[in-house]
Amino acid sequence: LLNANERFFLIDCGEGTQIQLRKYRIRFGKINHIFISHLHGDHIFGLFGLISSFNLVGRTATLHIFGPDQIEELILDHLKFFQNDLSFEIAVHKFQHHRPATILKDSNVEVITIPLKHRVPTCGFLFREMQVPRNIKKEMVEKYSIPIRDIVKIKEGKDYKTSQGKTIPNSELTLPPFRTRSYAYCSDTAYSEDVIEIVKHVDILYHETTFLNKDKDLAAETLHSTSREAAEIASKAEVRKLLIGHFSSRYKSYDTFEKEAQEVFPETTAVNDGDVFSVSRVRGKSMT
Ligand SMILES: [Zn+2]
Ligand SMILES: [Zn+2]
């Protein structure tokens, strides 16, 4: 679950999603966009319970669902059998899984697909804030009595010329804008270096790691990643922080996952349901 600029995005939907949302007190009405990485049960079965719960509470806002090609058919079939009188519209947005594409963009955020290597068409998602204009210093507006038409230009980075013909440099008039923050989500996938360029320098990379390095043959066979492989992607992409999860139930303890990844990429944390990670807003140059 991602909260970007106070808008909530739900990424992947395992069974019992609506129960989890209630448990963590996430208001249903806040979720308007759902991104499905691939059509395996542990990543989509929760969607139908969630649609049903939204209907029960009388939702009216359109729900946007993004997913690989076959998702439309899957949703339409489900609705035909179980739910033909919804209180809200569902807008299904299909994407191709072969190359990265921008699938959502507005004044706050853009979402780009990350093609992954799995047994079925699969994409991760890169969420990136849009660059906002520079902030003008209020005291400068007063000091030079800057008219509104010039304020817009100054916010875009222009210098200001006073009525006496003196040029005031932009750096004196404005504060640098907030750095754009970014988060990348990579679901089940075999080790894929194609990911590196897309997730370069993100603030947080979540990368699923189903197996430990000692089972790397099994990981390769089933097109999943080991903990070490996820850390190698994080290291090569020079991300700020790596989160790992989705460990196979074949392991009795999950402690080793974090240790294995940290050997390659120290800034790694193994996540649990309900964990919250924040990226603070700072002024300055963006890395991405
Ligand atoms: Zn899968
Ligand atoms: Zn999975």
Side-chain angles (χ1 to χ4, degrees):
L1 189 75
L2 175 72
N3 170 3
N5 290 334
E6 288 308 306
R7 298 190 326 163
F8 284 77
F9 299 92
L10 185 67
I11 310 148
D12 267 351
C13 237
E15 225 164 332
T17 300
Q18 77 274 28
I19 300 163
Q20 292 285 79
L21 292 177
R22 285 219 171 88
K23 184 171 162 195
Y24 298 113
R25 299 178 187 283
I26 309 293
R27 299 226 319 268
F28 286 176
K30 290 253 185 189
I31 293 171
N32 294 313
H33 300 83
I34 298 178
F35 297 84
I36 302 290
S37 59
H38 64 295
L39 306 185
H40 276 159
D42 56 332
H43 296 259
I44 191 170
F45 281 172
L47 181 63
F48 306 113
L50 196 60
I51 289 173
S52 167
S53 298
F54 282 165
N55 197 43
L56 281 175
V57 297
R59 180 191 178 100
T60 53
T62 301
L63 180 67
H64 296 272
I65 302 173
F66 299 76
D69 239 351
Q70 285 169 304
I71 193 160
E72 188 169 34
E73 194 185 332
L74 189 70
I75 292 173
L76 289 179
D77 273 356
H78 173 84
L79 295 179
K80 200 162 69 191
F81 283 108
F82 300 106
Q83 211 115 51
N84 48 23
D85 54 347
L86 282 185
S87 59
F88 59 98
E89 299 249 343
I90 294 180
V92 182
H93 309 271
K94 298 185 285 183
F95 53 73
Q96 297 298 318
H97 63 282
H98 301 293
R99 61 186 70 86
T102 301
I103 51 171
L104 177 69
K105 189 174 186 173
D106 62 22
S107 55
N108 294 319
V109 70
E110 68 178 331
V111 184
I112 296 159
T113 54
I114 309 169
L116 300 173
K117 290 196 177 112
H118 198 37
R119 298 194 301 280
V120 293
T122 303
C123 278
F125 306 100
L126 168 67
F127 296 82
R128 194 161 50 200
E129 280 181 318
M130 300 301 287
Q131 185 71 66
V132 291
R134 305 174 74 84
N135 289 112
I136 193 158
K137 294 179 192 164
K138 263 209 184 105
E139 64 269 25
M140 289 299 167
V141 176
E142 282 158 25
K143 186 174 171 188
Y144 297 109
S145 312
I146 305 174
I148 291 182
R149 63 170 191 280
D150 288 307
I151 290 177
V152 179
K153 289 180 196 153
I154 291 167
K155 282 185 172 179
E156 287 166 0
K158 299 253 167 40
D159 298 336
Y160 177 63
K161 214 171 190 170
T162 65
S163 47
Q164 286 87 37
K166 191 180 166 203
T167 300
I168 316 294
N170 190 277
S171 57
E172 208 177 295
L173 301 166
T174 61
L175 294 165
F178 287 109
R179 208 173 58 73
T180 57
R181 294 171 295 179
S182 52
Y183 165 70
Y185 167 91
C186 292
S187 70
D188 293 334
T189 179
Y191 179 76
S192 167
E193 296 209 335
D194 297 345
V195 168
I196 296 166
E197 201 47 49
I198 311 172
V199 306
K200 198 99 192 174
H201 294 150
V202 294
D203 289 298
I204 294 181
L205 167 66
Y206 170 79
H207 194 300
E208 294 192 334
T209 65
T210 310
F211 297 105
L212 290 171
N213 191 48
K214 67 182 171 73
D215 296 312
K216 66 172 188 289
D217 292 345
L218 191 57
E221 207 176 292
T222 59
L223 299 177
H224 286 91
S225 292
T226 67
S227 212
R228 172 178 289 272
E229 287 169 335
E232 273 164 21
I233 296 292
S235 166
K236 287 176 182 167
E238 299 171 70
V239 306
R240 289 185 169 207
K241 185 165 187 58
L242 171 67
L243 305 179
I244 53 171
H246 205 53
F247 311 131
S248 164
S249 57
R250 71 199 333 262
Y251 301 103
K252 285 190 185 72
S253 154
Y254 295 143
D255 299 346
T256 325
F257 279 86
E258 194 175 75
K259 281 190 204 118
E260 183 176 296
Q262 282 173 345
E263 280 167 23
V264 177
F265 191 76
E267 269 307 309
T268 303
T269 303
V271 295
N272 297 300
D273 285 346
D275 285 353
V276 174
F277 297 87
S278 301
V279 181
S280 49
R281 293 184 88 200
V282 288
R283 292 187 186 277
K285 205 174 167 294
S286 297
M287 289 175 81
T288 46

